[in-house]
Amino acid sequence: MTNPFQTLSYEPALESLGNEFFDIVQPATFPQHILHFRNDALLPVLGLKSEAASNRHFIEFFGRFQGTQSCLALRYHGHQFGQYNPYLGDGRGFLYGQVRGVDGHLYDFGTKGSGTTPHSHAKDGRLSLKGAVREALAGEILHYLGVPTSRCLSLIETGEDLQRDDEPSPARSAVMVRQSRSHIRFGTFERLDYYDRPDLIKALLDFAIACYYPELWKEPNPYPLFYTELVKRVAQLVGRWMAIGFCHGVLNTDNMSIVGEGFDYGPYAFIETYNPYFTAASFDRLGRYSYRNQPNACRWNLEMLQRPLSKVMPLSEMAAILESFPEFYTQAYEGMLLKKLGFLTLPPSSARDLVGTTLEFLLITRINYHQFFDALKQKFSKHWYHNSTHIVEDLSPLVSGEQQSILKNWCEFYHWILGKHTLEEIEQIEQQLWAYNPTVTVANSAIEIIWEAIDRENDWQPFNSFLQRLRHPNPKNE
Ligand code: AMP
Ligand code: MG
């Protein structure tokens, strides 16, 4: 029987741009192929039914790479921790086909851990199993929390022993395939500028707009519109990360997608308390990508992108567009935070006050960021509408004795906001709380526990049950 992944609607999209953009490479051959995760939720958009794809199909296609697609190691550079690095590129992965989804969008299959390429620079081209598990979890968590992201389609353990500086070694190996909207990075454009190729910058930009922003392609001058839309999407992306307490860890320009989707999750982490200085990557000693610096880092990356794009459109125009970043960001951040607090909309001044009061409360009390929202969701009741003492009583276990008065202030404010709604609306607030706050604990310790079970006992049950619970965020309505 033909492998159903072989018969998808592939398009030679990026390949059609010519070989200036990639190197054709050979996948590694592995001693073992154990499929640990297949993301069936991603199959419908590809036009596939779960039953049509067996585990063997996954392994043949995404572990042995027995497809007819070319393996394109993409060329890119980037600014890493502020320094330009021309020695980047797909060093352990390749673009393995672009598929037209049933929704009309183009999707990339991008591998990670699939062998060396001309960009590996003495590294092994491999991915550790822990790295694969962590990236798979990040994609699913972010997706189910409503944040645009690449997602893991397939995770296969490959039976090699890896030497790693940041993990106990030998470490188990894996190859994963991520499905994403695009693998074109800000750094893909930066590289073309480094080689002084305005012709290729224009070709790539035209391609990106036609492919990923088709509605803008019809406009008489799509370039500034593209930059505006990208600024907006990136601001929204980082606004949502901030609201859910996500810290990407390595916001280099080579990890920034041209469609404003998050991807490439290495040392990411979730904040525990509302600590603006929290950093996810141990090697980020100066805190360049700390939690609070993420919006600025993304804004800076958008500024770096202006250099190559200035070969196609005026720099001053882009600079003016970027001025709107803070506004887009604040809108997205506050909007998401309000949803986590139960509100789809509030009058602007109440919204600002509630966000401000809540952040101050979280900062001073240092209570667990996720537990706070979880408690709000779990304990919320109609009684809260009538009397703020019910709120205080329900939430008081969250804080210590001396912090009760700070809690009381916050509860009174929340009660005042509730009082501006009708009883009917109170029910909707409860529903928002359940819809926008995860049922699973998204703490680093939870991810570590999942990994430890795999590491020590090869027990994948915690991993699978976590994903299962993540997909059903609202047990109250079940
Ligand atoms: P990352 O930190 O994963 O975004 O990777 C930064 C750069 O290092 C990219 O060019 C990667 O392809 C490359 N790289 C990271 N790990 C490896 C590895 N084990 N083998 C080859 N290249 C790697
Ligand atoms: Mg990267």
Side-chain angles (χ1 to χ4, degrees), residues 98-151:
Q98 295 183 284
V99 179
R100 186 64 61 183
V102 294
D103 59 358
H105 291 315
L106 194 64
Y107 289 95
D108 284 7
F109 293 153
T111 68
K112 195 166 183 179
S114 51
T116 54
T117 78
H119 310 287
S120 304
H121 305 296
K123 290 199 201 150
D124 62 5
R126 304 303 201 264
L127 172 67
S128 70
L129 183 64
K130 184 176 185 184
V133 164
R134 282 178 48 85
E135 175 150 344
L137 289 171
E140 295 309 287
I141 293 170
L142 291 167
H143 170 76
Y144 284 104
L145 294 182
V147 186
T149 179
S150 69
R151 291 172 70 188

Side-chain angles (χ1 to χ4, degrees), residues 137 139-142 144-145 438-440 442 465-474:
L137 289 171
E140 295 309 287
I141 293 170
L142 291 167
Y144 284 104
L145 294 182
T439 307
V440 294
V442 293
S465 88
F466 181 89
L467 293 181
Q468 187 71 24
R469 281 178 289 134
L470 194 61
R471 291 187 187 132
H472 299 286
N474 197 350

Side-chain angles (χ1 to χ4, degrees), residues 350-383:
S350 308
R352 213 169 312 120
D353 287 350
L354 179 60
V355 166
T357 309
T358 305
L359 292 181
E360 202 178 270
F361 167 73
L362 291 169
L363 186 70
I364 298 173
T365 56
R366 298 181 174 208
I367 64 176
N368 184 289
Y369 188 79
H370 310 282
Q371 272 171 15
F372 168 71
F373 290 102
D374 192 52
L376 208 57
K377 173 182 87 172
Q378 303 273 1
K379 304 277 168 129
F380 189 91
S381 83
K382 287 201 186 78
H383 303 301

Side-chain angles (χ1 to χ4, degrees), residues 76 80 88-92 112 120 123-126 164 254-255 264:
Y76 57 83
Q80 297 195 304
L88 291 171
D90 277 345
R92 52 171 163 174
K112 195 166 183 179
S120 304
K123 290 199 201 150
D124 62 5
R126 304 303 201 264
R164 287 289 179 269
D254 53 302
N255 287 340
D264 220 355

Side-chain angles (χ1 to χ4, degrees), residues 153-279:
L153 174 60
S154 137
L155 191 170
I156 295 170
E157 183 169 2
T158 48
E160 293 179 320
D161 286 342
L162 307 180
Q163 292 306 317
R164 287 289 179 269
D165 297 335
D166 53 354
E167 279 183 53
S169 298
R172 288 155 78 177
S173 67
V175 64
M176 62 164 272
V177 174
R178 57 162 96 104
Q179 186 167 309
S180 76
R181 286 300 316 284
S182 174
H183 279 81
I184 301 174
R185 304 149 192 260
F186 289 13
T188 315
F189 284 97
E190 291 181 287
R191 174 182 165 272
L192 300 173
D193 200 30
Y194 182 86
Y195 291 120
D196 197 16
R197 294 297 302 267
D199 55 328
L200 296 183
I201 293 174
K202 184 173 182 317
L204 185 64
L205 183 59
D206 286 351
F207 169 82
I209 299 174
C211 219
Y212 303 114
Y213 299 81
E215 65 291 350
L216 304 182
W217 194 233
K218 298 173 200 124
E219 300 291 330
N221 187 6
Y223 299 139
L225 296 176
F226 157 79
Y227 190 69
T228 309
E229 181 61 23
L230 181 63
V231 166
K232 190 172 164 186
R233 289 192 195 181
V234 171
Q236 285 174 342
L237 175 69
V238 64
R240 291 180 188 176
W241 282 346
M242 294 297 286
I244 64 163
F246 179 75
C247 208
H248 181 285
V250 195
L251 287 174
N252 293 331
T253 56
D254 53 302
N255 287 340
M256 298 290 293
S257 150
I258 206 70
V259 295
E261 185 180 77
F263 80 129
D264 220 355
Y265 306 113
Y268 71 89
F270 290 87
I271 54 167
E272 284 171 18
T273 60
Y274 178 67
N275 169 10
Y277 297 96
F278 176 83
T279 47

